Amino acid sequence: MLVLCIDIGGSKLKGALVNEQQEMKSDRLRCETPRPAQPEPILAALSDVMKPLSGYDAIAVGFPGVVTEGVVKTAVNLHPDWIDFPLADRIEQMFGVPTRAANDADIQGYGAIAGRGVELVLTLGTGMGSALFVDGTLVPNLEMGHHPFIKNKTYEQLLGNAPRKRDGNKAWNRRLSYALERLQALFSCRTIYLGGGNTRKIQCQLPDNIEIVSNLAGIYGGVELWRDLRTTSPKAGTSESLDS
């Protein structure tokens, strides 16, 4: 199976073709996320930028928010018009192939984890995404970024890109180090994986059980979304046929 793996981000839209061995079979195409980041402009941009790609059997879409059975439930870093938007259905109608959608950090986690013990994935970019796995099984839509962290501020409010720019890398690294200590104490992780563009800004000393992973994991993980039937429920019609 060849999967078109799409990543909808707060700053960029990306996509590439990936096979079942998690090998990229096309260039990774990208464009800026339209502003305002409403559904229709983003879908139009995706249709345009992904036009050169063909021959895929399915689509996996990562979205920066809670996604339940292909429907968006939160979109903190995009636009409120996304709330209750049937993302998987609309992408399937546009491209004409079975489509699944999930939280973008969950998909990045699929591309990063080893499948043993408790594994936590944090994505450090526009905001802070998170994904939790237990022996390879996803606990979907964790959204740790919106949980309280320090003085009624959330993890995302102190570890997102805007506060990093505002307060500087030194303060951001200090907070990141503290956050990692707290999350390790909370989940007793075998491994914590850090992904996202701001991993390039990490200057603090990381414990041995913390790994920085390539942003390509957010693309490769789309294949695993199709392999793992415990995540997004199969869509009606064509999506069901791939699993039968």
Side-chain angles (χ1 to χ4, degrees), residues 11-85:
S11 59
K12 288 184 172 56
L13 310 178
K14 294 170 281 189
L17 299 180
V18 182
N19 66 15
E20 291 190 77
Q21 290 73 44
Q22 292 195 358
E23 298 167 335
M24 195 172 292
K25 306 305 289 184
S26 73
D27 292 335
R28 184 169 56 152
L29 306 182
R30 65 177 70 194
C31 68
E32 299 294 318
T33 300
R35 296 294 172 184
Q38 295 169 286
E40 296 309 325
I42 285 180
L43 293 180
L46 283 175
S47 178
D48 185 58
V49 77
M50 301 303 161
K51 194 173 295 183
L53 303 180
S54 62
Y56 44 90
D57 307 292
I59 296 175
V61 184
F63 184 87
V66 172
V67 180
T68 303
E69 295 185 354
V71 178
V72 173
K73 296 299 181 183
T74 68
V76 175
N77 292 311
L78 292 178
H79 192 281
D81 284 358
W82 282 100
I83 306 303
D84 292 326
F85 187 83

Side-chain angles (χ1 to χ4, degrees), residues 74-129:
T74 68
V76 175
N77 292 311
L78 292 178
H79 192 281
D81 284 358
W82 282 100
I83 306 303
D84 292 326
F85 187 83
L87 177 59
D89 275 341
R90 284 297 305 277
I91 294 287
E92 185 166 313
Q93 291 166 9
M94 285 173 50
F95 289 87
V97 298
T99 299
R100 287 183 177 175
N103 175 269
D104 57 350
D106 291 350
I107 291 183
Q108 176 132 355
Y110 274 122
I113 64 168
R116 297 178 60 198
V118 176
E119 297 176 283
L120 179 66
V121 180
L122 302 177
T123 59
L124 305 170
T126 303
M128 191 193 91

Side-chain angles (χ1 to χ4, degrees), residues 10 63-66 74 76-77 103-106 120-131 141-149 154-163 172 175-180 183 186-187 192-199:
F63 184 87
V66 172
T74 68
V76 175
N77 292 311
N103 175 269
D104 57 350
D106 291 350
L120 179 66
V121 180
L122 302 177
T123 59
L124 305 170
T126 303
M128 191 193 91
S130 58
N141 297 315
L142 180 66
E143 291 291 84
M144 179 59 67
H146 304 301
H147 290 224
F149 179 28
T154 66
Y155 286 88
E156 183 161 302
Q157 287 172 324
L158 294 174
L159 291 173
N161 198 44
W172 183 85
R175 293 172 190 154
L176 176 62
S177 182
Y178 180 48
L180 293 171
L183 293 172
L186 178 62
F187 293 111
I192 297 176
Y193 303 92
L194 302 180
N198 276 342
T199 55

